[in-house]
Coordinates of all heavy atoms in Angstrom, one line a residue:
D1 N 67.3 -10.0 159.9 CA 66.5 -9.4 158.8 C 66.6 -7.9 158.9 O 66.9 -7.3 160.0 CB 65.0 -9.9 158.9 CG 64.7 -11.3 158.4 OD1 65.6 -11.8 157.8 OD2 63.7 -11.7 158.6
L2 N 66.4 -7.3 157.8 CA 66.4 -5.9 157.7 C 65.1 -5.4 157.3 O 64.7 -5.6 156.1 CB 67.6 -5.2 156.8 CG 67.6 -3.9 156.5 CD1 68.0 -3.1 157.7 CD2 68.6 -3.5 155.3
L3 N 64.4 -4.5 158.0 CA 63.1 -3.9 157.7 C 63.4 -2.6 157.1 O 64.1 -1.7 157.7 CB 62.2 -3.8 158.9 CG 60.7 -3.4 158.7 CD1 60.0 -4.6 158.2 CD2 60.2 -3.1 160.0
V4 N 63.0 -2.4 155.8 CA 63.2 -1.0 155.1 C 61.9 -0.3 155.0 O 60.9 -0.9 154.3 CB 63.8 -1.4 153.8 CG1 64.2 0.1 153.1 CG2 65.2 -2.1 153.9
L5 N 61.7 0.8 155.4 CA 60.5 1.6 155.5 C 60.7 3.0 154.6 O 61.7 3.5 154.6 CB 60.2 2.0 156.8 CG 59.9 0.9 157.8 CD1 60.4 1.3 159.3 CD2 58.6 0.4 157.8
N6 N 59.6 3.4 154.0 CA 59.6 4.6 153.3 C 59.1 5.8 154.3 O 58.1 5.7 154.8 CB 58.6 4.5 152.2 CG 58.5 5.8 151.3 OD1 59.3 6.8 151.5 ND2 57.6 5.8 150.3
D7 N 60.0 6.7 154.6 CA 59.7 7.7 155.6 C 59.3 9.1 154.9 O 59.3 10.1 155.5 CB 61.0 8.0 156.4 CG 62.3 8.5 155.7 OD1 62.0 8.9 154.4 OD2 63.2 8.8 156.1
T8 N 58.7 9.0 153.7 CA 58.0 10.2 153.3 C 56.8 10.6 154.1 O 56.2 9.8 154.8 CB 57.5 9.9 151.7 OG1 57.0 11.1 151.2 CG2 56.3 8.9 151.7
K9 N 56.5 11.9 154.0 CA 55.4 12.5 154.7 C 54.4 13.1 153.8 O 54.7 13.8 152.9 CB 55.9 13.5 155.7 CG 54.9 14.1 156.6 CD 55.5 15.1 157.6 CE 54.6 15.7 158.6 NZ 55.2 16.6 159.5
V10 N 53.1 12.6 154.0 CA 52.0 13.1 153.1 C 51.8 14.6 153.6 O 51.6 15.0 154.7 CB 50.7 12.2 153.4 CG1 49.5 12.8 152.7 CG2 50.9 10.8 153.1
V11 N 51.7 15.4 152.5 CA 51.4 16.8 152.7 C 49.9 17.1 152.4 O 49.2 16.2 151.6 CB 52.2 17.7 151.8 CG1 53.7 17.7 152.3 CG2 52.2 17.3 150.3
K12 N 49.3 18.2 152.9 CA 47.9 18.5 152.6 C 47.8 19.2 151.4 O 47.6 20.5 151.2 CB 47.4 19.4 153.7 CG 47.4 18.7 155.1 CD 46.9 19.8 156.2 CE 47.0 19.3 157.7 NZ 46.6 20.3 158.6
A13 N 48.0 18.4 150.3 CA 48.2 18.9 148.9 C 47.0 19.4 148.1 O 47.1 19.8 147.1 CB 48.9 17.8 148.1
R14 N 45.9 19.1 148.6 CA 44.6 19.5 148.0 C 44.2 20.9 148.4 O 43.9 21.2 149.6 CB 43.5 18.5 148.3 CG 42.2 18.8 147.5 CD 41.2 17.6 147.5 NE 41.7 16.8 146.4 CZ 41.9 15.4 146.6 NH1 41.7 14.8 147.8 NH2 42.3 14.6 145.6
L15 N 44.1 21.8 147.4 CA 43.8 23.2 147.7 C 42.7 23.7 146.8 O 42.5 23.2 145.6 CB 45.0 24.1 147.3 CG 46.3 23.9 148.1 CD1 47.5 24.6 147.5 CD2 46.2 24.2 149.6
F16 N 41.8 24.5 147.4 CA 40.7 25.0 146.6 C 40.7 26.4 146.4 O 41.2 27.2 147.2 CB 39.4 24.5 147.4 CG 39.2 23.1 147.4 CD1 39.6 22.4 148.6 CD2 38.5 22.3 146.5 CE1 39.5 21.0 148.7 CE2 38.3 21.0 146.6 CZ 38.8 20.3 147.8
G17 N 40.0 26.9 145.4 CA 40.0 28.4 145.1 C 39.1 28.7 144.1 O 38.2 27.9 143.7
Q18 N 39.3 29.8 143.3 CA 38.3 30.2 142.3 C 39.1 31.1 141.3 O 40.0 31.7 141.6 CB 37.1 30.9 142.8 CG 37.4 32.3 143.4 CD 36.1 32.9 144.0 OE1 35.2 32.2 144.4 NE2 36.0 34.2 144.1
K19 N 38.6 31.0 139.9 CA 39.1 31.8 138.9 C 38.5 33.3 139.1 O 37.6 33.5 139.9 CB 38.7 31.2 137.6 CG 39.2 29.9 137.4 CD 39.0 29.3 135.9 CE 37.4 29.2 135.7 NZ 37.1 28.7 134.3
S20 N 39.1 34.2 138.2 CA 38.6 35.6 138.3 C 37.1 35.5 137.9 O 36.4 36.4 138.3 CB 39.4 36.4 137.4 OG 39.4 35.9 136.1
S21 N 36.7 34.7 137.1 CA 35.2 34.6 136.6 C 34.3 34.0 137.8 O 33.2 34.1 137.6 CB 35.2 33.5 135.5 OG 35.4 32.3 135.7
G22 N 35.0 33.5 138.8 CA 34.2 33.0 139.9 C 34.0 31.5 139.9 O 33.5 30.8 140.9
G23 N 34.4 30.8 138.8 CA 34.4 29.5 138.8 C 35.3 28.7 139.8 O 36.5 29.2 139.9
R24 N 34.8 27.6 140.4 CA 35.6 27.0 141.4 C 36.7 26.1 140.8 O 36.5 25.7 139.7 CB 34.7 26.1 142.2 CG 33.7 26.9 143.1 CD 34.5 27.7 144.2 NE 35.1 26.8 145.3 CZ 35.9 27.3 146.2 NH1 36.2 28.7 146.2 NH2 36.3 26.6 147.2
L25 N 37.8 26.0 141.4 CA 38.9 24.9 140.9 C 39.5 24.3 142.1 O 39.4 24.8 143.3 CB 39.9 25.7 140.1 CG 41.0 26.4 140.9 CD1 42.2 26.5 140.0 CD2 40.5 27.8 141.4
E26 N 40.1 23.2 141.8 CA 40.9 22.4 142.8 C 42.2 22.1 142.3 O 42.5 21.7 141.2 CB 40.1 21.1 143.1 CG 40.9 20.2 144.1 CD 40.1 18.8 144.1 OE1 39.0 18.8 144.1 OE2 40.9 17.9 144.4
L27 N 43.2 22.3 143.1 CA 44.6 22.0 142.8 C 45.1 20.8 143.7 O 44.8 20.8 144.9 CB 45.6 23.2 143.0 CG 45.3 24.6 142.1 CD1 46.4 25.5 142.5 CD2 45.2 24.1 140.7
L28 N 45.8 19.9 143.1 CA 46.4 18.9 143.8 C 48.1 19.0 143.6 O 48.4 18.7 142.5 CB 46.0 17.5 143.4 CG 46.6 16.3 144.2 CD1 46.4 16.4 145.7 CD2 46.3 15.0 143.6
I29 N 48.7 19.6 144.5 CA 50.1 19.8 144.4 C 50.8 18.5 144.3 O 50.9 17.8 145.3 CB 50.7 20.8 145.3 CG1 50.0 22.1 145.3 CG2 52.2 21.0 145.2 CD1 50.4 23.3 146.2
E30 N 51.5 18.2 143.2 CA 52.2 17.0 143.0 C 53.6 17.1 143.4 O 54.3 16.2 144.0 CB 52.2 16.5 141.6 CG 53.0 15.4 141.2 CD 52.2 14.0 141.5 OE1 51.0 14.1 141.5 OE2 52.9 12.9 141.3
R31 N 54.2 18.3 143.2 CA 55.6 18.5 143.5 C 55.9 20.1 143.8 O 55.5 20.8 143.0 CB 56.5 18.0 142.3 CG 57.9 18.1 142.5 CD 58.8 17.4 141.5 NE 58.4 16.0 141.2 CZ 59.2 15.2 140.6 NH1 60.3 15.5 140.1 NH2 59.0 13.9 140.4
V32 N 56.7 20.2 144.8 CA 57.2 21.6 144.9 C 58.5 21.8 144.3 O 59.5 20.9 144.3 CB 57.5 21.8 146.6 CG1 58.2 23.2 146.8 CG2 56.2 21.9 147.3
L33 N 58.6 22.7 143.4 CA 59.7 22.9 142.4 C 60.7 23.8 142.9 O 61.9 23.8 142.5 CB 59.2 23.4 141.0 CG 58.2 22.5 140.3 CD1 57.6 23.2 139.0 CD2 58.7 21.1 140.0
S34 N 60.4 24.7 143.7 CA 61.3 25.8 144.3 C 62.0 25.3 145.6 O 61.4 24.4 146.3 CB 60.6 27.1 144.5 OG 59.4 26.9 145.3
S35 N 63.0 26.0 146.0 CA 63.6 25.8 147.3 C 63.2 26.8 148.3 O 62.6 27.9 147.9 CB 65.2 25.9 147.2 OG 65.6 24.9 146.1

């Protein structure tokens, strides 16, 4: 038999910050577009 595994790695994609007005926001990075 052949066992096939997904070797992706989970990244710490949840980031927190704030707008210039002071309001809080959360980003969840789905994809890195740049190299």
Side-chain angles (χ1 to χ4, degrees):
D1 285 346
L2 174 67
L3 193 73
V4 186
L5 302 152
N6 182 4
D7 65 3
T8 187
K9 185 175 183 179
V10 179
V11 293
K12 299 177 186 177
R14 180 163 281 129
L15 302 169
F16 297 93
Q18 62 184 29
K19 300 184 295 180
S20 58
S21 64
R24 295 292 291 173
L25 83 154
E26 175 186 330
L27 302 183
L28 179 63
I29 295 181
E30 177 87 11
R31 185 176 298 200
V32 174
L33 302 176
S34 54
S35 300

